[in-house]
Amino acid sequence: MSQDVKTVPGAAPTATPVELPEDLHGVRLHFVGIKGTGMAALVEILSDRGAVITGSDVAERFYTDEILEKRGIQAKPFSTDNIDGGIRCVIYSSAYSPDKNPDLAEAARRGIPMMLYSEALGEVSARSYGCGICGVHGKTTTTGLTGTILKELDLPSQVLAGSVIASFGDRCTMTSSSFAPGTRNIFAAETCEYQRHFMAFHPRKIILTAVESDHQDYYPTYGDILKAFVEYACLLPEGGELIYCADDRGASEATALASRKRPDITLVPYGTSVAKGGGPGAATNAAPGCYRLSFGRVEGGRQYFSIGGLGEFALQVPGRHNARNATAAVALCCRLLAEYGKNPADYIEEIKRGLLNFRGGKRRSEIIARTKTPLGQELIVIDDYGHHPTAIATTLAGYREFYRGHKIIVDFMSHTYTRTAALLEEFASSFSSADSVIINRIYGSAREDASASPVTGEILAERASAHHKAVAYRGEFAEAAEEVYRQISAPSGADYPDGYLFVTMGAGDNWKTGMILLEKLAHVTAATAQPANGKEIQ
C-alpha cells in the first residue's frame, strides 16, 4: 500500500491510501509516461494479470512503442480527455507531476487514486513472492539471466527487467511470465536505487551486485548511497535472504551493516571470494561453497566458469562480470527451488540451458551489426549502456578477453555533469582495455545546469589522455563516426588479425554514432541494424 495525494477543488491535499486490487481482471489502469522503460515493462506485467491499460506520453517514437503496440496499446498525447470515471488507478512516471501534467491534474480533480511507478511495482511485489535485484552495476543483466533461467524451471513467475531481453521470448519484451492465477507467484524485478525508488518494494529475497558512489545529484557521498542499500536490505522479513557479491567491497560492506541491524537475515554470498567452506555468513542449508565462482576458459564464442558444488556453466556473452551476474542468478534460482520444495540438484541441466540461452539485453553488450571495414576486415559494432567507471572498465576488459583478435575502438558519452565531475579521474582511467578512445560531449540531465558545471567532454578527454595514448575528443556524433571510419580504413595490424570491434558506450544517445558509421559503410556492405533507442528506467 502506498500513500499518495488526492485533491479536489477548493480542498487541501490529503494523504490517501492507494492499493491495486488483488484481482486485476477487467480493471482499468491509466499510465502517464507509458513509454518509459520501467513503465512499459510494468504494463506487460499487469496486462498479463488481466488489467485493461491505456496510457499517454510524448509523440516521439521509442522502442517501447513496439512493446505497447503488441499489447494493442497506443500511447495518447497528454490530455484531460484521457481520464474518465471508469479508471481505477493512474500510475505515473517520476518524470511527471500532478501539478503540471493534465492527465494527473484531471485524475486528482476526480479523486482517482494515483501512484508512482515504483509504488505500483511495490504493490505487485506485495502480492507475490518478491525478489528484488539491485546494485549500482549489473542489475539489468542479472535480472535478465534470472528470468531466462526461470523460463526453464517449473515455477510460477513473472520477471521484470530494465531493458528488452531477447531470451525472454522475442525482440520486444522486457518481461518473462509464467504467471499462474491463484498460486504463490514469484515476482523478480530490477529495483532501482535512484531517489530510493526501491524502498517501495516488498522483497523476500534480494540480490545485491555492487555498491559504489553514483547518482551524485541525489547521493552526494558514498555514505549516502551505502545507507540506502542497507535500508533496502533491512526491508527483508525475518529469515529473508540477502544474496550478495562477496567480490564487491561495497556490497560486502552494505551486507555487514545490514546484518548488524538485522541478524535474522540469511546471508548468501557469491563470487570468487567465497571460501570453499561457504565463508563467513554463508547461507543456512546451502551446500558448502555452492556459489563460489571459478573462472574458466573462453572458447568458441563462449566463456566457461564453475560454481562450486554445481558444476561448469557457459555463457555466450562476454566478461567476467557477467559470470558473476550469472552466479547471482543461479544462487537466486536455487534458493527459489528450495523455497518451493524442490531440490536444486535436480535442475542443474535446466539451469545450464537457461544460461546458455541468454543473449544479453538491449544496450547491454548488444551486437548491432557484423560487417566489413573498407579493407574487407571484420567489423563488429556493439552498443552498451555502461556509464559508470567500474562498468566501463569491467565491460571493456570482458571484450578484450572475449574478442582477443580484434582491435577495440570505444566511443564514450558521459552521462550527467554531476557524475562526471565527481568521478572524473575514475572515468579518465577506465579505458585501459581499449586500443582507441573517442570522447563525446556530456549528455546532461534536465535537472542540471550545464553552464555551471566545472567539467566538459573536452576536459574528460584531456584527463583520459594522461592515462591512455590514443584519445580523441569528437563532441558530435558525425565527427566521431568520421574518426572511427578513418581508423578502420587502415589495417588492424598483426596483433589484431580478426579486425575491429567498435563500441558505443554510455547512457546517452551516442548509439547514433554507430548508426552514422554503418550508413557510411553501406556502399561497402549491406549492414542493417535497429537503433538502440530507449528511456532510462524510471
Side-chain angles (χ1 to χ4, degrees):
M1 181 180 294
S2 65
Q3 296 288 319
D4 216 322
V5 173
K6 289 169 63 175
T7 61
V8 294
T14 57
T16 305
V18 181
E19 60 182 29
L20 294 175
E22 189 77 34
D23 183 1
L24 286 173
H25 284 278
V27 173
R28 287 185 59 199
L29 304 174
H30 183 73
F31 281 64
V32 175
I34 195 169
K35 295 184 184 182
T37 300
M39 294 282 278
L42 185 59
V43 165
E44 291 188 282
I45 292 292
L46 297 181
S47 177
D48 285 342
R49 294 189 177 207
V52 178
I53 295 172
T54 58
S56 56
D57 212 315
V58 297
E60 183 181 355
R61 189 170 179 84
F62 297 93
Y63 76 86
T64 51
D65 279 285
E66 187 176 356
I67 293 170
L68 298 170
E69 288 161 3
K70 280 190 64 180
R71 303 272 173 164
I73 300 168
Q74 192 76 40
K76 304 173 183 178
F78 297 124
S79 171
T80 57
D81 294 338
N82 295 330
I83 307 300
D84 61 54
I87 293 173
R88 182 71 171 271
C89 182
V90 174
I91 298 169
Y92 64 101
S93 161
S94 61
Y96 302 99
S97 61
D99 59 335
K100 294 181 180 179
N101 181 272
D103 299 50
L104 297 176
E106 180 64 14
R109 189 188 72 79
R110 289 174 175 265
I112 297 173
M114 297 181 288
M115 65 173 68
L116 282 164
Y117 158 79
S118 54
E119 295 171 327
L121 199 68
E123 283 289 297
V124 175
S125 67
R127 286 163 170 71
S128 313
Y129 192 92
C131 301
I133 299 169
C134 70
V136 172
H137 317 298
K139 54 184 174 284
T140 299
T141 299
T142 303
T143 307
L145 285 157
T146 297
T148 308
I149 294 172
L150 284 172
K151 281 173 62 70
E152 302 294 328
L153 307 179
D154 52 350
L155 295 174
S157 65
Q158 287 184 301
V159 181
L160 181 152
S163 179
V164 167
I165 305 294
S167 52
F168 278 3
D170 58 41
R171 65 186 181 86
C172 57
T173 184
M174 292 176 285
T175 63
S176 174
S177 181
S178 57
F179 180 73
T183 64
R184 186 178 63 153
N185 283 271
I186 295 162
F187 180 53
E190 177 177 340
T191 54
C192 184
E193 71 277 7
Y194 186 60
Q195 295 182 341
R196 297 166 62 87
H197 286 162
F198 54 17
M199 294 302 292
F201 201 77
H202 296 262
R204 303 287 190 91
K205 295 183 186 346
I206 288 175
I207 289 178
L208 175 56
T209 62
V211 179
E212 284 192 70
S213 181
D214 199 12
H215 304 297
Q216 286 78 11
D217 59 326
Y218 189 80
Y219 300 113
T221 69
Y222 168 70
D224 294 327
I225 197 169
L226 176 66
K227 181 181 178 183
F229 279 104
V230 171
E231 291 179 2
Y232 180 49
C234 288
L235 292 179
L236 287 164
E238 182 177 354
E241 296 182 338
L242 179 56
I243 302 167
Y244 71 97
C245 183
D247 298 342
D248 184 83
R249 183 179 300 176
S252 297
E253 184 177 4
T255 298
L257 291 171
S259 183
R260 285 178 205 150
K261 289 175 176 284
R262 290 283 311 282
D264 59 298
I265 293 173
T266 299
L267 306 181
V268 184
Y270 70 90
T272 59
S273 301
V274 176
K276 289 185 178 180
T284 310
N285 300 324
C290 68
Y291 309 121
R292 182 172 184 265
L293 168 65
S294 299
F295 297 115
R297 66 198 184 282
V298 175
E299 182 179 285
R302 297 179 180 180
Q303 64 164 326
Y304 293 85
F305 60 97
S306 296
I307 302 175
L310 298 178
E312 186 179 66
F313 300 84
L315 286 171
Q316 298 195 68
V317 292
R320 294 190 170 196
H321 60 295
N322 280 326
R324 285 190 178 88
N325 294 335
T327 303
V330 170
L332 175 58
C333 290
C334 285
R335 304 303 293 181
L336 285 170
L337 284 164
E339 180 70 33
Y340 279 68
K342 302 175 187 293
N343 183 358
D346 295 337
Y347 291 85
I348 298 302
E349 290 307 312
E350 288 83 354
I351 293 171
K352 288 182 177 182
R353 186 163 61 245
L355 291 181
L356 202 54
N357 286 342
F358 183 71
R359 297 291 189 276
K362 182 174 283 292
R363 305 219 63 208
R364 273 70 179 180
S365 295
E366 180 185 9
I367 296 178
I368 300 299
R370 290 180 180 269
T371 184
K372 298 291 184 182
T373 71
L375 296 180
Q377 290 190 286
E378 182 179 53
L379 171 66
I380 302 172
V381 179
I382 286 180
D383 183 51
D384 188 80
Y385 193 67
H387 57 280
H388 186 282
T390 302
I392 296 164
T394 55
T395 301
L396 291 175
Y399 296 156
R400 171 59 70 210
E401 183 177 22
F402 204 76
Y403 299 102
R404 288 193 188 97
H406 291 77
K407 192 170 189 177
I408 299 175
I409 303 170
V410 60
D411 177 84
F412 177 67
M413 185 180 213
S414 195
H415 181 230
T416 80
Y417 290 91
T418 51
R419 180 186 283 122
T420 310
L423 302 175
L424 181 60
E425 289 307 313
E426 290 89 340
F427 274 116
S429 60
S430 64
F431 302 103
S432 59
S433 292
D435 297 287
S436 176
V437 182
I438 300 167
I439 304 291
N440 305 139
R441 56 180 166 78
I442 293 174
Y443 186 86
S445 164
R447 300 180 294 269
E448 301 178 304
D449 179 7
S451 64
S453 173
V455 68
T456 63
E458 293 99 319
I459 290 173
L460 174 56
E462 180 182 340
R463 294 304 307 139
S465 296
H467 300 273
H468 201 288
K469 63 182 180 181
V471 178
Y473 175 74
R474 299 291 184 269
E476 301 305 317
F477 305 142
E479 299 173 329
E482 283 293 335
E483 176 63 25
V484 178
Y485 186 83
R486 183 188 68 78
Q487 293 187 30
I488 65 172
S489 294
S492 56
D495 291 338
Y496 304 109
D498 296 337
Y500 286 89
L501 177 70
F502 173 55
V503 186
T504 52
M505 183 171 279
D509 58 351
N510 64 324
W511 52 266
K512 294 175 182 176
T513 300
M515 298 300 104
I516 296 170
L517 176 66
L518 290 172
E519 288 173 8
K520 188 174 180 65
L521 289 168
H523 69 283
V524 178
T525 181
T528 60
Q530 295 295 321
N533 186 9
K535 292 182 178 179
E536 190 171 357
I537 189 167
Q538 297 290 340

